[in-house]
Each structure stands twice: as structure tokens, then as C-alpha cells.
Amino acid sequence: MNDTIAIFASARRNGNTGKFIDRISEILEIDVIDLADKNISPFDYEHKNIDDDVIPIMDQILDHEKLIFASPVYWYAMSAQMKIFVDRISDFLAVDELKDKGRKLRGKIGYVVCTSICQEADDSFVNSFKDTFEYLDIKYGGHIHANCKDGYVESQYTDDVTDFVNSVRNAEFCPRIKMRST
Ligand SMILES: Cc1cc2nc3c(=O)[nH]c(=O)nc-3n(C[C@H](O)[C@H](O)[C@H](O)COP(=O)(O)O)c2cc1C
């Protein structure tokens, strides 16, 4: 099975970010989870929404070692659909029965694929992923950005995509081994 999966969330499936992640996933031959297609409700302190799609999605994600988060930059931040999902990761830190799953995120490698209408992705956008990864003990593997001021033009990103795909393929996953204290 492929060790990489993409988690994608945009306000439109076949927009700039959708085309960008489709190109990358085609080369890497990986699955793309479209969060907008799923039933994921916003974070609830009482976890009354725990039976929505968030646990099956997490189970699918946890079967992989390299996680690619794909989102457009909307107002210097990740898309709303992505933010709802990231908020819901909190369930896996807070609900006793889910904590074992949450711990399995540790040591995985996280990447970011993004589009905007600027030359570079905003630091605030990239840092929100980097900081979240750090908190969850996910190693940051890097990001790739496409300036879609004139739409997504695949030919402009051939070299960047090749570099990104190679860095994902070549990344060494180091599983966290629990050391028994003597
Ligand atoms: C609600 C909204 C907010 C946006 N905010 C930003 C922004 O803060 N910075 C930026 O460079 N582009 C911004 N854009 C432009 C998008 O990032 C850009 O068009 C992106 O490629 C859209 O990807 P999509 O087709 O997957 O939605 C925004 C677009 C929308 C719809």
C-alpha cells in the first residue's frame, strides 16, 4: 500500500488547489480525501458529533505515514473545511477512547500543498500548519505553492512538482519506538 495520502479541502473540487493536488496525487499514485465531500461538523466541547465522518477519516489517514494537506489560502489562512477538520483533531487528544489514535499521528511526516494569488504562500498560512504539526509531533516535510493569479497553469509548476514529489518519495519515515524504562 502507498505510504502517502492527501487531505484536500477547498470551496470547489476542480478549482486551482484541486487541480494542483490532482497532478501531485496522479504522480505519487495516492488517494485524495476531499473533506468537503464528508460530513464533518465543527468542534463540539461535548463531542456530541463524534459519530460523524471524522473517525473513519482519521482511521484512513493513520494507515499512512506521509500526510499531504492541500488547501487554498483564504484570508491568510487555511480553507474553512480544512480548519474544521484540524479543529476536530482535538477530539483525538481529548476523548479517552480516541487518544490511542491521536498518538499514532506522532512521527508522521506532514506536507502542505497550497494555492493563492500571491507570489508566495503567506507565512501565517504556512505557519499555522507548521505549528499544528509541531504540536501533534508530526515532522514538517515542506510545502509547495502555486501562484494562481491567472488560474492554475500546470506547465509553470512542472519542476516544482517534480522536486516536491521526489522529496515526498525520498523522505525517511522513522517510527517512534516506545522505549521500555528499566
Ligand atoms: C474567500 C477567499 C479568500 C481568499 N484570500 C486570499 C488571500 O488571503 N491571499 C491570497 O493570495 N489569495 C486569496 N484568495 C485567492 C485564492 O487563494 C486563490 O484564488 C486560490 O487559488 C483558490 O483556490 P481554489 O480554486 O481551490 O479555491 C482568496 C480567495 C477566496 C475565494
Side-chain angles (χ1 to χ4, degrees), residues 8-19 71-77 114-122 145-149 151-152:
F8 159 75
S10 165
R12 52 182 183 176
R13 177 61 187 90
N14 295 311
N16 297 329
T17 320
K19 287 179 187 146
S71 168
V73 179
Y74 289 161
W75 292 108
Y76 315 99
C114 55
T115 70
S116 75
I117 52 167
C118 294
Q119 200 56 39
E120 300 290 340
D122 286 292
H145 169 260
N147 177 358
C148 295
K149 195 167 180 297
Y152 171 65

Side-chain angles (χ1 to χ4, degrees), residues 2-6 28 30-31 64-68 111 168:
N2 202 307
D3 67 355
T4 308
I5 192 161
L28 284 171
I30 61 171
D31 289 332
H64 301 81
E65 309 311 343
K66 301 170 187 172
L67 316 178
I68 300 177
Y111 301 85
V168 174

Side-chain angles (χ1 to χ4, degrees), residues 160-178:
D160 287 356
V161 165
T162 302
D163 290 348
F164 179 78
V165 160
N166 286 338
S167 87
V168 174
R169 278 191 182 131
N170 297 331
E172 296 272 347
F173 168 66
C174 300
R176 296 288 152 101
I177 299 166
K178 272 193 192 153

Side-chain angles (χ1 to χ4, degrees), residues 21-38:
I21 194 60
D22 281 348
R23 181 70 196 119
I24 289 165
S25 62
E26 187 180 49
I27 302 171
L28 284 171
E29 297 180 341
I30 61 171
D31 289 332
V32 177
I33 301 174
D34 179 3
L35 295 179
D37 228 14
K38 306 289 183 183

Side-chain angles (χ1 to χ4, degrees), residues 3-178:
D3 67 355
T4 308
I5 192 161
I7 303 120
F8 159 75
S10 165
R12 52 182 183 176
R13 177 61 187 90
N14 295 311
N16 297 329
T17 320
K19 287 179 187 146
F20 202 23
I21 194 60
D22 281 348
R23 181 70 196 119
I24 289 165
S25 62
E26 187 180 49
I27 302 171
L28 284 171
E29 297 180 341
I30 61 171
D31 289 332
V32 177
I33 301 174
D34 179 3
L35 295 179
D37 228 14
K38 306 289 183 183
N39 172 30
I40 311 173
S41 56
F43 179 76
D44 171 8
Y45 277 99
E46 294 176 16
H47 313 293
K48 285 184 182 155
N49 52 357
I50 205 65
D51 289 328
D52 65 8
D53 288 343
V54 85
I55 296 177
I57 292 170
M58 185 61 86
D59 286 340
Q60 192 180 353
I61 289 173
L62 290 176
D63 278 340
H64 301 81
E65 309 311 343
K66 301 170 187 172
L67 316 178
I68 300 177
F69 291 79
S71 168
V73 179
Y74 289 161
W75 292 108
Y76 315 99
M78 62 186 76
S79 66
Q81 296 89 339
M82 182 65 82
K83 183 63 167 63
I84 287 174
F85 177 71
V86 170
D87 284 357
R88 291 293 303 280
I89 295 176
S90 311
D91 291 352
F92 296 85
L93 310 180
V95 177
D96 282 343
E97 306 84 78
L98 297 180
K99 284 181 182 173
D100 275 348
K101 291 184 198 281
R103 288 186 197 103
K104 287 188 185 143
L105 286 169
R106 294 179 186 166
K108 296 195 185 290
I109 309 177
Y111 301 85
V112 179
V113 168
C114 55
T115 70
S116 75
I117 52 167
C118 294
Q119 200 56 39
E120 300 290 340
D122 286 292
D123 286 346
S124 53
F125 173 94
V126 177
N127 287 339
S128 68
F129 281 100
K130 279 187 185 171
D131 292 343
T132 302
F133 291 164
E134 190 179 340
Y135 190 88
L136 295 169
D137 207 4
I138 293 172
K139 186 178 160 205
Y140 175 63
H143 78 272
I144 181 171
H145 169 260
N147 177 358
C148 295
K149 195 167 180 297
D150 302 312
Y152 171 65
V153 183
E154 187 179 309
S155 57
Q156 288 178 356
Y157 294 97
T158 312
D159 292 346
D160 287 356
V161 165
T162 302
D163 290 348
F164 179 78
V165 160
N166 286 338
S167 87
V168 174
R169 278 191 182 131
N170 297 331
E172 296 272 347
F173 168 66
C174 300
R176 296 288 152 101
I177 299 166
K178 272 193 192 153

